[in-house]
Amino acid sequence: MSADGLLPLAFLIGYLLGSIPFGMVLTRMAGTQDLRTVGSGNIGATNVLRTGRKGLAAATLLGDMLKGTVAVVIAGTIDGPNAAMLAALGAFLGHLFPVWLKFRGGKGVATYIGVLLGLFWPAALIFAVIWLGTAYTTRYSSLSALIAAFVTPLFLWWFGHNALASLFAVLTLLLFYMHRENIQRLQAGTEGKIGERK
């Protein structure tokens, strides 16, 4: 198979790994109620935290991150940087629209960080610093993610990674779209804060 012929496979690998719903799997194994009936109904780590299970929330965050990183590393090893970027896109879309949950998934922050870590780790570090700083001062997980994601393509572009900057501009737009209700609540002053149960 030609190198170009492996690119769809890289995307598929990314999508299938990205679509693993760690929040659902872990909370179900722990015997908690259906995560989709808790808080915002989201399957990500922030909503798992609303169950009061900090360990499960941390495990969900780690799982949702690493599935993106693993997808990028596998695809990059098989077929180089272009395959790695396609796997990153696939993993992100898999998390947002997982086939196992009728294409209703999470909002993508942890997986965004995970694919960023696999493609250019200094940018993942910058994302984490911005997220943590904003979260510490505002206690809003969504706002922290939106600000960090907005900065990420600019950071990549500044350091000459134009292809990655373009990819993460697309991922950032998707992330903003998935957070559209959060943005409305932030504007209205009704957004839930980190650690707050609904």
Side-chain angles (χ1 to χ4, degrees):
M1 184 179 290
S2 68
D4 287 345
L6 292 174
L7 294 180
L9 178 62
F11 179 85
L12 181 61
I13 289 171
Y15 177 81
L16 291 176
L17 284 171
S19 66
I20 300 172
F22 279 101
M24 290 286 295
V25 172
L26 292 172
T27 53
R28 187 166 295 176
M29 289 175 61
T32 66
Q33 68 190 96
D34 189 329
L35 188 58
R36 292 168 293 186
T37 67
V38 176
S40 66
N42 191 260
I43 64 169
T46 300
N47 205 42
V48 174
L49 188 61
R50 293 191 179 106
T51 68
R53 306 288 292 272
K54 294 181 180 179
L56 285 181
T60 299
L61 177 65
L62 187 62
D64 284 345
M65 281 179 55
L66 290 182
K67 67 187 182 183
T69 306
V70 169
V72 166
V73 170
I74 289 174
T77 300
I78 293 173
D79 200 30
N82 289 337
M85 287 193 293
L86 269 177
L89 177 61
F92 192 72
L93 291 174
H95 182 76
L96 300 187
F97 311 109
V99 65
W100 326 112
L101 298 177
K102 299 180 180 178
F103 304 103
R104 297 177 65 182
K107 295 183 179 178
V109 178
T111 307
Y112 186 108
I113 299 170
V115 297
L116 191 57
L117 182 64
L119 291 168
F120 187 60
W121 69 264
L125 181 61
I126 293 298
F127 185 106
V129 168
I130 293 171
W131 190 96
L132 287 169
T134 308
Y136 180 78
T137 55
T138 69
R139 306 295 296 172
Y140 288 119
S141 175
S142 57
L143 179 62
S144 304
L146 292 169
I147 292 173
F150 180 81
V151 170
T152 295
L154 299 176
F155 177 83
L156 291 166
W157 173 78
W158 181 262
F159 280 91
H161 296 281
N162 294 336
L164 288 180
S166 297
L167 171 64
F168 279 93
V170 172
L171 299 192
T172 296
L173 288 173
L174 286 167
L175 191 143
F176 267 69
Y177 174 76
M178 298 304 294
H179 282 79
R180 60 196 182 281
E181 294 178 359
N182 301 84
I183 293 170
Q184 291 174 354
R185 289 194 295 269
L186 284 166
Q187 291 173 331
T190 58
E191 176 73 331
K193 294 190 175 183
I194 295 171
E196 178 181 87
R197 293 196 192 188
K198 291 187 177 181

